[in-house]
Amino acid sequence: MSLRKILVLDGVTAVCRFRDDGVIMEAEGMLSPELMERLAKFAHWYRRMVSGNTDLLSLFSQMRGWSPSQGWVVQGVATTVCSVGNMVCLFENAEGALNEVMQALREAAHE
């Protein structure tokens, strides 16, 4: 799935694919190049933090299925940042369906 197909989903304002070091590979949306780079760096570091935390949750809870993590969501009052793999998306909460966006990110991340 191309980034433009994700960008046209209701509520999506920006989406990018980044490398394992946080450098942008491709990006689409209404953010400046500088803000898009910041979004990719944030997503890269947040993914690392979530992965470590899910490993600990799995270890301490002895519950299966937490690790490896499949993605993450940080939801604010008006805007959400969500990610799957090396894909990250900025989403306006009132304008669309988060489940649809997450499904599109899952499909794009596994291409």
Side-chain angles (χ1 to χ4, degrees):
M1 176 177 288
S2 74
L3 295 187
R4 289 184 186 211
K5 287 183 180 179
I6 297 171
L7 186 61
V8 300
L9 296 175
D10 291 340
V12 175
T13 57
V15 61
C16 73
R17 183 185 314 267
F18 55 92
R19 296 188 323 212
D20 286 337
D21 61 359
V23 173
I24 292 176
M25 295 172 59
E26 55 183 324
E28 295 285 341
M30 298 187 289
L31 293 181
S32 69
E34 179 185 352
L35 286 177
M36 200 66 85
E37 286 180 29
R38 288 180 183 183
L39 178 64
K41 289 286 185 192
F42 167 77
H44 165 69
W45 285 106
Y46 203 84
R47 183 182 72 174
R48 291 178 62 163
M49 184 178 68
V50 166
S51 292
N53 287 340
T54 56
D55 289 346
L56 287 172
L57 177 62
S58 182
L59 176 69
F60 290 128
S61 70
Q62 295 296 305
M63 295 169 59
R64 297 179 184 263
W66 289 109
S67 185
S69 62
Q70 301 299 305
W72 54 264
V73 175
V74 176
Q75 193 165 36
V77 173
T79 306
T80 294
V81 179
C82 50
S83 181
V84 175
N86 285 14
M87 303 283 302
V88 63
C89 178
L90 193 61
F91 173 78
E92 296 297 325
N93 298 338
E95 296 183 23
L98 183 57
N99 285 343
E100 181 181 14
V101 173
M102 290 299 288
Q103 180 61 37
L105 287 174
R106 272 191 293 277
E107 290 172 12
H110 294 101
E111 288 182 338

